[in-house]
Structure formats: C-alpha cells, structure tokens
C-alpha cells in the first residue's frame, strides 16, 4: 500500500504543521513516511508545495510522480489548482475556500470556484467558519485535515493522537479546539 | 539503536554528534542551515560539542582546521556557493596533514530553490583531490557523516559531504548507532605538514597525489558503490549518483530488461566498477543529480561504440533537479500524462517581502528619491532585501553574490555612473561587505551604501548576526575613519520624509556615505514576543 499527498498553500500559512499532523499520525499507524518540505526564500509569501508519501513498504523517492498523487490538500483555493498535474485521475482534491490575496492579479473567486467544480473529485472546506465554530481561529488547518480524513488511510484515532502529541504543551483548551476542528472537518463530504 | 524522524540536515548533525565531533562551525545558507541549528540547540541543551556561527564560510572552515590541528573532530556547514567563499581555505586545507577528522558539509541546490546558481560540489572535491561522500537518504546522511570522520583521519584529508536541497529538507526516520567519544586533545606534532611554505607545500602536494590510489581503492571497495550485474542483459546498464538512485528505484519496477546497475555515492569514482559495467553493455544510462560530472569524466575513457545516454544530450535535463518524472525518457519509459487539468490560467505567486518588513520602508525611500533623479543605480546583495527586486518595488538592478553590492557599486561609480547606491544587510555586511567598504574608503569612491539592518540573518530563518547590531555603526565608523558620513536612521514609515532628506544629502556628497537603516525583522520580533508571553 502507498498513499501520496501533495500539500499546497502560501508561505506562512502553516502547510508544514498541517503536514506534520498527518505524518505523525501515519507514523503512529505504523506507516513509513517521507515528507519533502519547503524552506528558505520560497516560504516568504510565495506559493509553497510539499510532498508526503505514506507506505507500508520502502519509499525511495521524496517526490511524487505527476499524475499519481492520491490527494492534493491545499490551504488556499488558487494554490490547489496549481498542482493538478500531480493528481491521479482517481485522486481527490481537498481545499480551503479562503483566498490569500497577496498578489495584484489574483483572479476572480468565482472563476476559481468554477475551475474547482469541473474536477472529478473535490471537497471544498470553509475552514475559517468551522475553525471559529471549533473555538480557535487558528485551527483552520485541522479542519482541513478533518475534511481529508475520510480518504486518508488513517483512522481518526491516530489523527487525534497526533494532535495530542503536537499540541499538548499548549494546554488542554488548544487540544480540545483542535479535536473539534478535526471533527467538524470530517463531517464535510 | 534509537529511531529519530529527522530532516536530511538533522541526520547529518546527529551523525556528527554521534561520531564524536568536538567543534561545529558554519554560515547560514539554504539548504544547509538546519544542520548548524540542530547542533546549536543540542550544544546549548547538553553543554557540547562547541557550536557557533561564523562571519562567513571561509572563517568557519579555517576555524575547523584549527580544531583539526588540535587533533579533534570538526564539522563545517555551508551551501554550495558558500564553498566558493571558503575555497581558498578548502583547496589549501587539502594539503595539510589532517589527523583530527574534518568534514565539510556542502548543500547544493539543483533547481535553485533559494540560490543564485546550480554549481555541483563534486567538482570541488576533484579540484582539491579529496574524497566526497553523497548520501541518497536520511539514513545514509547519518551513516556517511560518521564514516566521513573516520575516512578523514584514515586518508589524512578533509572530506566533503554533499547534500542537495531535496535531501536536506526531507523528513524520514533513521536508526542511530552508539555514540563515539570525542578525540583527546592532540596537537599536530609535525608543523612542517601544517605550514604551506612552498617547500612544504610541494612535499604535501606530492603526498596528496600519492594518496589518490588509496582513495580510489576505498571507493572501489565501498559497499555504497554497489554494482549489480545482470549477465543476461548485455544491452544497457544504468549508473546513478545522488538522488538519481531514488528516482531510478522508483521507476525500476516498470523496466522489463532489468539493467545492470552501478550506484556511485563515494568519490573519486570507482574506476574498475565503471570499466566492468561499460565492457558489459552497449548503452550506459547515467542519472546524476547536478552536473554531468560522471558522464563527462568517463565519456572520453570508454570505447567509442558505447552509447552514453545522459545530460550531455539533454535527455536527462541539464538544469534543475532530477524528479521521478524527468528521468523516465532516459530509461525508455513513457512520459506520464496528467489527466486532471484545469482550463484556468494561474497567476504566479512569487516570494515577497513580508507585510510590514522594514526593508520595504527603506526601498520606498530609495524609490521615491530615485524618481527625483535624472540618473541613478541601485545594486543589491543576497538576502531578504533581494526580494525588493520584485514588483511593486523593483528597485535593485544587480544581485550577484554575497558582498558584491558594495564592490559592484564601486566599479559602477568609478566608471562614471551617477548616484550609485548599494543595499546590503547587516549579516551580509559582516560576511563579505566590510572589505568592499575598505576598498571604497581607500579609493574615496562616490557611493552611498545603505546597510539594511534588521538585527538578524533573516532569509535563512533569523539566526543571530555575528556581531550585535548596536556594534555596526562602530565597525563602519572604524573603517571610514570618522563618523561624519555614517548615519543611522530608523527604517520606519513615520520617518519616511526625514529619511528621504538624509538620502538626498548623502547622494549629493561626493565620497563614501553609509546609511544604516535599523528596525528589527518583523518575524524575529514576533517570535521573541511569542516566547516572552
């Protein structure tokens, strides 16, 4: 078994912390994990993309081949479209609908939504509203992980354990908000 | 053995710690930075090994040579272009009698994720006649770092360890090995082998050349340089180096002919193994990360009827990093089609200065003053402020290498350009801008140097600048001789108009002026606030 994920967003959005929740959960579930990250210049407000590969056997390449990813997860709708060449025809795109407009030529949002609606399998997430409902405006990334969870080869038990190990030093309230964000996200279909 | 999930960079740091390193030096540079960050954190927590950032890569390497002279193990870290800065110490260090293991880790950046060029460090190893080890994954990065110390002491030379961005910044699990004790203090006993006076240097060069056969033998016998022959397939063989190995293995399941395969991770190249493979096949496919180094090295040695498929014909791309996709044509596999497409044209989203960045305010001052001038030039250096080259600011006109803003400004001014301004960061000024300032002062050149001082090395993640910012004005004044044209200004919007007045005045002055625009990086300020609260 292997499961390949492209993670996308804008530098500074916390794509890597989203990645680390899934990676930690996958390790807890007994998978081998390889995760390629973006550091340095590209992190400063630019488009960022990371590869994550989960498998029950050896993984050689850090990079995912084009047209073979099982999932694209994006923290930003425009950025979700940028990595479609990696998505397999059977794969799913899970994206936040909250735009980051730090460029002057950001397209009309309706145009982006239309492009998204043409895709074979897509799950749109209003992470902003659901994070607020979960009690932490900063838990948007966990809403997105929750929304992806139905397709990930990981149970909610492992995802919650990952949240626990990554957020427990920030206190019980933060852990509970992130649990709730995961749950709210997981109800999106 | 314990298991750690680490970045490639962190695997090197752990390998050094477990390999008995005593001193660690470096200058931050993506993608190498996290090696020293790990070592610094570890050292702070455990009280050792000694770890510190240096002013630049050359001073770092020279410091490490001092450790080695004392008989202890040292590691130096830098990015590929940093080795250019350290090249003098590196080339000469190869001639010394290294007894305390010295490992020079250089992280290359094929694809130029955060760099000015794609140079391949393997040429430097060849140039200096020293071995180079190149890991393909985190486990090898850990193991090879340990091996490099032993090899350094065995061969009596510094060893290069080459990483690439895709390994430096990828995370996976590694198994650690038992910790080796540090060497005891044991100063080199034959100073003739450490003083490169011509007579000594000639003897040392002879010795180094004499040890080449040992290095090749080491490479030939290394289990990393594995040759797996398929006697039944005489058509083609594959040579991989670096991450080319991973992309080959990723695609190998689709190959029906099971080619013989040689992987090279220890250099100098294993000549016998190459000859054996070449004699067996009609075609050699070469997948290597970086330049066509092995390809060029062996092309002239092999029979003319042997076909070589690789970068020289651009079948494997000559530029950029390798991927599981772009090695497929060379292997005779079909290009993968991506069937999920969007009709929409996507605008690019380049990196940019953070909202509220002090450099933004300084560039706005420069831009507005420029608009009043008939003629002006702005050279920039390497660092966050280089992002001012992108719209909407678009101010810098040259970005070359560390320190080159001041010296390029000097040359431009001396050839007749008017109102020449050089923009350089605080860390970069201390790295290699100071000597350029000395040149300007010596010649009395008409330049206005703007040091954008955000009190940190921001581009690489906010490392502490080697001297505190409060010392910068003293350093500059010391070089200038007096402080009349050394002006410190706040890099802040509310001082915008006053700052413009100062810049106009210093541009009008026919001589060297230095304006130090100070405000802390918003990222480090935010982090400090978070820590404090």
């Amino acid at each position: 078994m292997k499961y390949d994920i492209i993670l996308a967003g804008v530098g500074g959005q916390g794509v890597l912390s989203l990645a680390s929740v899934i990676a930690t959960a996958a390790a807890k579930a007994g998978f081998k994990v390889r995760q390629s990250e973006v550091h340095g210049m590209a992190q400063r407000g630019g488009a960022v993309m990371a590869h994550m590969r989960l498998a029950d056997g050896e993984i050689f390449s850090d990079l995912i081949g084009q047209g073979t990813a099982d999932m694209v997860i994006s923290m930003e709708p425009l950025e979700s479209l940028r990595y479609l060449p990696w998505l397999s025809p059977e794969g799913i795109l899970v994206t936040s609908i909250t735009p980051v407009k730090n460029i002057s030529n950001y397209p009309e949002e309706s145009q982006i939504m239309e492009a998204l609606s043409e895709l074979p399998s897509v799950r749109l997430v209003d992470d902003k509203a659901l994070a607020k409902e979960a009690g932490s405006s900063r838990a948007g990334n966990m809403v997105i992980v929750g929304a992806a969870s139905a397709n990930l080869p990981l149970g909610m038990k492992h995802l919650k354990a990952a949240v626990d190990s990554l957020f427990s030093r920030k206190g019980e309230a933060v852990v509970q908000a992130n649990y709730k964000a995961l749950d709210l996200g997981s109800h999106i279909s | 053995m314990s298991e750690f999930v680490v970045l490639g960079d962190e695997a090197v740091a752990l390998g050094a710690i477990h390999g008995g390193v005593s001193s660690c030096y470096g200058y931050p540079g993506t993608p190498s930075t996290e090696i020293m960050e790990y070592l610094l954190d570890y050292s702070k927590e455990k009280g050792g090994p000694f770890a510190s950032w240096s002013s630049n890569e050359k001073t770092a390497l020279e410091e490490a040579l001092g450790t080695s002279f004392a008989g202890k193990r040292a590691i130096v870290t830098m990015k590929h272009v940093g080795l250019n800065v350290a090249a003098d110490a590196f080339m000469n260090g190869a001639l010394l009698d290294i007894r305390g293991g010295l490992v020079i880790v250089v992280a290359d950046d094929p694809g130029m994720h955060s760099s000015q060029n794609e140079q391949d460090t393997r040429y430097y190893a060849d140039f200096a006649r020293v071995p180079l080890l190149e890991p393909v994954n985190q486990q090898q990065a850990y193991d090879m770092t340990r091996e490099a110390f032993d090899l350094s002491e065995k061969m009596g030379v510094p060893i290069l360890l080459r990483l690439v961005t895709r390994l430096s910044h990828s995370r996976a699990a590694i198994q650690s090995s038992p910790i080796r004790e540090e060497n005891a203090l044991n100063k080199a006993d034959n100073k003739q082998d450490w003083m490169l006076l011509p007579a000594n240097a000639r003897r040392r060069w002879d010795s180094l050349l004499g040890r080449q056969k040992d290095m090749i033998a080491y490479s030939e016998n290394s289990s990393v340089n594995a040759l797996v022959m398929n006697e039944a397939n005489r058509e083609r063989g594959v040579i991989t180096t670096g991450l080319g190995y991973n992309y080959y293995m990723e695609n190998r399941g689709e190959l029906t002919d099971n080619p013989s395969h040689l992987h090279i991770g220890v250099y100098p190249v294993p000549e016998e193994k190459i000859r054996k493979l070449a004699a067996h096949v009609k075609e050699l496919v070469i997948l290597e990360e970086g330049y066509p180094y092995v390809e060029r090295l062996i092309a002239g040695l092999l029979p003319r009827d042997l076909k070589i498929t690789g970068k020289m014909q651009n079948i494997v791309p000559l530029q950029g990093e390798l991927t599981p996709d772009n090695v497929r044509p060379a292997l005779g596999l079909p290009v993968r089609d991506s069937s999920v497409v969007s009709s929409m044209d996507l605008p690019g989203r380049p990196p940019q200065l953070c909202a509220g960045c002090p450099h933004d305010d300084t560039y706005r001052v420069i831009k507005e003053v420029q608009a009043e001038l008939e003629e002006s030039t702005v050279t920039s250096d390497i660092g966050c402020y280089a992002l001012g080259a992108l719209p909407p600011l678009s101010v810098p006109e040259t970005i070359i290498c560390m320190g080159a803003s001041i010296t390029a400004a000097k040359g431009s001014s001396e050839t007749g350009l008017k109102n020449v301004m050089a923009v350089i960061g605080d860390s970069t000024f201390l790295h290699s801008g100071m000597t350029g300032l000395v040149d300007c002062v010596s010649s009395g050149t008409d330049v206005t140097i703007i040091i954008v001082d955000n009190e940190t090395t921001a581009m690489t993640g906010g490392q502490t600048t080697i001297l505190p910012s409060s010392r910068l004005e003293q350093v500059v004044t010391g070089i200038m001789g007096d402080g009349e044209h050394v002006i410190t200004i706040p890099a802040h919007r509310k001082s915008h108009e006053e700052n413009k007045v100062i810049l106009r005045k210093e541009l009008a002055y026919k001589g060297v002026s230095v304006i130090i625009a100070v405000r802390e990086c918003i990222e480090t300020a935010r982090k400090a606030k978070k820590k404090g609260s």
Side-chain angles (χ1 to χ4, degrees):
Chain A
M1 197 289 307
K2 74 161 184 69
Y3 201 85
D4 290 340
I5 309 168
I6 298 284
L7 299 137
V10 177
Q13 272 197 310
V15 172
L16 289 186
S17 59
L18 186 156
S20 77
V21 169
I22 299 177
T24 306
K28 285 180 193 294
F31 289 113
K32 288 211 185 304
V33 183
R34 293 188 76 87
Q35 180 199 326
S36 174
E37 307 185 352
V38 183
H39 293 209
M41 186 188 258
Q43 276 182 304
R44 311 209 171 269
V48 298
M49 175 235 224
H51 298 243
M52 186 187 297
R53 314 194 68 193
L54 321 177
D56 51 12
E58 190 163 7
I59 309 167
F60 289 104
S61 167
D62 292 294
L63 297 174
I64 297 164
Q66 297 217 344
T68 69
D70 299 285
M71 182 183 279
V72 170
I73 301 184
S74 179
M75 304 265 291
E76 207 278 345
L78 172 63
E79 294 311 315
S80 75
L81 293 169
R82 206 181 294 285
Y83 307 104
L84 289 180
W86 273 267
L87 194 59
S88 120
E90 295 79 35
I92 179 170
L93 184 150
V94 179
T95 183
S96 156
I97 57 164
T98 313
V100 176
K101 298 184 180 179
N102 65 353
I103 45 172
S104 58
N105 53 347
Y106 196 93
E108 287 294 324
E109 283 177 56
S110 57
Q111 209 187 338
I112 296 174
M113 288 307 147
E114 197 188 316
L116 284 168
S117 69
E118 290 166 3
L119 300 176
S121 179
V122 63
R123 195 169 295 149
L124 304 177
V125 189
D126 188 351
D127 57 313
K128 210 173 172 181
L130 292 175
K132 208 170 156 194
E133 195 183 327
S136 165
S137 59
R138 295 165 72 178
N141 51 1
M142 287 312 110
V143 174
I144 305 236
V145 173
S149 63
N151 296 74
L152 294 172
L154 304 166
M156 193 54 94
K157 179 185 83 174
H158 290 122
L159 289 169
K160 288 199 166 165
V163 164
D164 217 34
S165 65
L166 292 166
F167 294 104
S168 61
R169 63 191 167 84
K170 293 186 176 173
E172 188 52 25
V174 174
V175 172
Q176 287 306 327
N178 280 288
Y179 279 170
K180 193 164 180 204
L182 268 178
D183 278 331
L184 289 171
S186 71
H187 295 136
I188 302 168
S189 56
Chain B
M1 296 227 288
S2 359
E3 189 175 283
F4 298 82
V5 174
V6 287
L7 289 174
D9 276 350
E10 294 168 347
V12 169
L14 261 181
I17 292 162
H18 295 173
V21 76
S22 296
S23 298
C24 319
Y25 300 100
Y27 185 81
T30 311
S32 71
T33 313
E34 293 79 4
I35 307 169
M36 274 301 294
E37 288 192 328
Y38 192 98
L39 290 164
L40 284 159
D41 286 348
Y42 184 95
S43 173
K44 202 170 163 191
E45 195 183 315
K46 312 270 181 178
F50 180 85
S52 98
W53 291 118
S54 305
S55 292
N56 63 41
E57 295 83 355
K58 180 172 186 279
T59 62
L61 178 46
E62 290 159 350
E63 284 149 13
L65 281 166
T67 303
S68 181
F69 177 73
K72 296 206 171 201
R73 292 185 163 190
I75 193 166
V76 198
T77 75
M78 61 196 71
K79 68 183 293 177
H80 57 317
V81 288
L83 185 55
N84 300 335
V85 178
D88 201 6
F90 170 65
M91 294 300 296
N92 297 324
L95 265 63
L96 304 173
D97 181 22
I98 301 295
R99 307 257 184 107
L102 174 57
V103 178
I104 302 164
V105 192
V106 183
D108 287 0
D109 190 15
M112 292 183 265
H113 297 275
S114 313
S115 304
Q116 312 93 278
N117 75 31
E118 279 196 354
Q119 69 185 60
D120 186 331
T121 293
R122 294 178 298 168
Y123 281 88
Y124 263 114
D126 192 26
F127 195 18
R129 300 289 200 144
V130 299
L132 177 145
L133 306 182
E134 184 173 29
V136 300
N137 57 32
Q138 289 76 359
Q139 185 67 53
Q140 260 193 4
Y142 174 84
D143 294 335
M144 279 185 168
T145 305
R146 300 186 62 140
E147 181 185 349
F149 284 112
D150 296 340
L151 181 59
S152 173
E153 290 174 1
K154 187 177 155 99
M155 297 290 166
V157 287
I159 305 295
L160 279 173
L161 183 76
R162 181 202 190 205
L163 303 176
V164 292
T165 306
R166 194 56 64 185
L167 175 57
S168 286
H169 291 167
S170 284
R171 217 173 269 283
I174 61 165
Q175 301 281 337
S176 66
S177 310
I179 296 177
R180 178 196 183 276
E181 289 295 309
E182 289 182 32
N183 289 355
L185 204 58
N186 180 21
K187 193 171 107 174
D189 49 9
N190 186 358
K191 62 185 182 183
Q192 305 306 321
D193 292 340
W194 273 82
M195 296 192 297
L196 296 179
L197 296 166
N200 292 341
R202 279 191 285 270
R203 196 171 42 74
R204 293 301 307 166
W205 180 229
D206 185 57
S207 159
L208 181 62
L209 293 176
R211 278 173 279 153
Q212 296 301 306
K213 58 180 188 317
D214 303 333
M215 295 177 199
I216 294 169
Y218 186 88
S219 160
E220 210 74 66
N221 294 319
S222 163
S223 60
V224 171
N225 292 343
L227 173 61
V228 182
M229 295 293 284
N230 175 6
E231 297 298 335
N233 179 354
R234 303 219 49 171
E235 290 303 312
R236 64 171 183 170
V238 175
I239 295 180
T240 58
T241 80
L243 301 198
Y245 173 83
N246 296 341
Y247 305 131
Y248 173 63
M249 295 304 278
E250 189 72 21
N251 284 299
R252 198 179 59 161
E254 290 179 53
L255 301 180
T256 51
D257 61 339
N258 185 25
S260 296
H261 173 208
L262 170 63
H263 175 71
I264 302 175
V266 175
Y267 299 78
V269 297
E271 293 174 4
E272 276 311 310
K273 283 179 178 167
I274 293 171
R275 280 200 193 94
K276 187 176 173 195
L277 176 60
H280 185 68
V281 296
K282 293 184 188 142
E283 182 190 4
L284 264 183
V285 178
I286 304 180
L287 304 177
E288 50 189 327
E289 188 79 284
Y291 285 14
Y293 172 75
V294 169
E295 192 177 336
R296 290 179 67 178
L297 195 67
I298 67 179
L301 300 174
L302 298 175
R304 280 172 189 273
D305 51 356
L306 183 86
K307 182 181 168 197
I308 295 178
T309 302
K311 291 190 170 223
M312 305 271 277
Q313 314 80 16
N314 219 359
I315 297 167
V316 180
L318 256 175
Q319 74 177 88
E321 62 181 339
L322 296 183
T323 70
D325 293 311
N326 67 17
V327 300
R328 289 172 66 87
L331 294 168
L333 294 172
V335 174
R336 283 199 193 97
D337 273 334
S338 49
S339 47
V340 186
V341 285
S342 152
S343 48
M344 198 182 151
D345 279 341
L346 305 177
R349 194 190 304 255
Q352 50 190 270
L353 291 172
C354 306
C357 173
H359 301 330
D360 185 80
D361 292 307
T362 304
Y363 272 132
R364 283 178 201 286
V365 169
I366 295 171
K367 200 174 170 80
E368 287 177 29
V369 170
Q370 267 193 303
E372 302 162 3
L373 301 166
E374 206 168 293
E375 185 194 330
S376 67
T377 296
V378 178
T379 60
S380 168
D381 231 291
I382 314 290
C384 274
Y385 43 91
L387 295 173
L390 302 168
L393 291 164
S394 310
V395 175
E397 293 166 69
T398 73
I399 298 169
I400 307 165
C401 62
M402 294 284 279
S405 61
I406 295 179
T407 31
K410 178 176 186 280
S412 304
S413 170
E414 284 164 354
T415 204
L417 294 184
K418 304 272 183 300
N419 296 312
V420 178
M421 291 168 263
V423 178
I424 188 167
D426 47 335
S427 189
T428 311
F429 178 74
L430 295 167
H431 175 282
S432 51
M434 286 193 294
T435 43
L437 175 60
V438 172
D439 283 3
C440 292
V441 171
S442 165
S443 309
T445 311
D446 181 20
V447 288
T448 301
I449 296 162
I450 299 145
I451 303 179
V452 285
D453 178 3
N454 58 3
E455 307 182 24
T456 187
T457 314
M459 179 60 98
T460 48
Q463 291 74 31
T464 310
T465 309
I466 199 83
L467 283 181
S469 280
S470 55
R471 294 280 306 280
L472 211 52
E473 189 174 310
Q474 278 178 283
V475 171
V476 173
T477 307
I479 295 171
M480 297 276 278
D482 70 53
E484 199 186 335
H485 291 281
V486 183
I487 299 120
T488 298
I489 61 170
H492 208 287
R493 202 151 296 182
K494 64 180 186 233
S495 312
H496 185 76
E497 290 306 321
E498 296 98 284
N499 290 350
K500 278 166 69 180
V501 172
I502 290 165
L503 180 57
R504 278 189 208 111
K505 192 169 151 239
E506 293 309 318
L507 282 170
Y509 169 68
K510 299 294 164 219
V512 187
S513 306
V514 178
I515 297 171
I516 308 174
V518 187
R519 178 156 64 88
E520 190 184 359
C521 166
I522 58 156
E523 273 294 309
T524 56
R526 194 178 53 82
K527 276 185 203 153
K529 200 176 156 199
K530 222 170 163 184
K531 240 180 205 169
S533 65

